[in-house]
């Protein structure tokens, strides 16, 4: 069996059937890759350690929670439903460096990113990621 890692995606209906924590699992990884790529392309002269520190400022629960609060009113019906399912999902872990409310909002944020990524809604994903980048610059 040959798997196409770059093009094998789910339909919107298939993705809606996934556990929101699974969407957040995918979204967490995809978001970190997007942020690391953005930082690398836009900061070519700094060390990997400094890139890592900058990446942390984007991917920690507190930041994701703040980004989500700023984009929530721009989500469409499907995205909002995924966000709420992710935010309200009961995870078996307790956050180490964030309060529980921020952690849950961040999980909802990651579920939205995972949903958009796994359904190949790349234009919409780019739109939201650009909003996030612009929020961090201002």
């Amino acid at each position: 069996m040959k798997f196409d890692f770059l093009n094998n995606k789910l339909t919107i209906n298939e993705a809606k059937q996934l556990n929101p924590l699974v969407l957040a699992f995918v979204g967490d990884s995809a978001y970190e890759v997007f942020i690391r790529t953005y930082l690398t392309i836009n900061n070519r002269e700094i060390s990997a350690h400094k890139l890592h520190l900058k990446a942390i400022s984007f991917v920690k629960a507190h930041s994701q929670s703040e980004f989500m609060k700023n984009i929530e009113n721009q989500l469409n019906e499907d995205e909002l439903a995924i966000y709420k399912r992710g935010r309200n999902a009961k995870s078996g872990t307790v956050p180490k460096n964030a309060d529980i409310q921020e952690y849950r909002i961040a999980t909802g944020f990651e579920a939205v990113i995972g949903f958009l990524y796994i359904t190949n809604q790349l234009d919409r994903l780019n739109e939201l990621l650009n909003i996030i980048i612009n929020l961090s610059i201002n």
Side-chain angles (χ1 to χ4, degrees), residues 67-76 80 124 131:
F67 293 144
M68 190 68 226
K69 290 173 188 174
N70 281 285
I71 65 170
E72 184 177 359
N73 64 348
Q74 298 177 52
L75 299 181
N76 65 35
L80 189 59
R124 179 61 173 153
I131 292 168

Side-chain angles (χ1 to χ4, degrees), residues 86-129:
R87 180 194 64 198
N88 296 334
K90 302 290 187 254
S91 115
T93 62
V94 177
K96 292 183 282 185
N97 299 317
D99 71 31
I100 191 70
Q101 184 177 9
E102 285 181 338
Y103 184 76
R104 293 179 123 196
I105 293 169
T107 301
F109 170 82
E110 291 172 345
V112 171
I113 299 298
F115 173 74
L116 294 173
Y117 177 76
I118 208 162
T119 58
N120 210 30
Q121 296 182 64
L122 302 183
D123 288 340
R124 179 61 173 153
L125 185 54
N126 268 318
E127 183 180 339
L128 293 180
L129 291 171

Side-chain angles (χ1 to χ4, degrees), residues 13-131:
N13 286 332
E14 288 171 332
K16 285 180 180 179
Q17 301 306 311
L18 292 175
N19 181 309
L21 295 177
V22 171
L23 290 172
F25 169 76
V26 171
D28 175 56
S29 296
Y31 179 65
E32 184 152 359
V33 168
F34 298 141
I35 292 302
R36 286 177 178 224
T37 302
Y38 167 79
L39 291 172
T40 299
I41 290 171
N42 290 286
N43 298 280
R44 295 179 193 190
E45 303 301 320
I46 67 174
S47 69
H49 176 70
K50 288 183 181 175
L51 285 170
H52 173 71
L53 294 176
K54 283 182 175 250
I56 289 171
S57 72
F58 281 91
V59 300
K60 63 185 178 182
H62 174 74
S63 297
Q64 290 180 357
S65 174
E66 291 301 311
F67 293 144
M68 190 68 226
K69 290 173 188 174
N70 281 285
I71 65 170
E72 184 177 359
N73 64 348
Q74 298 177 52
L75 299 181
N76 65 35
E77 186 177 321
D78 285 342
E79 295 162 354
L80 189 59
I82 294 294
Y83 163 64
K84 289 179 178 179
R85 286 181 56 218
R87 180 194 64 198
N88 296 334
K90 302 290 187 254
S91 115
T93 62
V94 177
K96 292 183 282 185
N97 299 317
D99 71 31
I100 191 70
Q101 184 177 9
E102 285 181 338
Y103 184 76
R104 293 179 123 196
I105 293 169
T107 301
F109 170 82
E110 291 172 345
V112 171
I113 299 298
F115 173 74
L116 294 173
Y117 177 76
I118 208 162
T119 58
N120 210 30
Q121 296 182 64
L122 302 183
D123 288 340
R124 179 61 173 153
L125 185 54
N126 268 318
E127 183 180 339
L128 293 180
L129 291 171
N130 274 291
I131 292 168

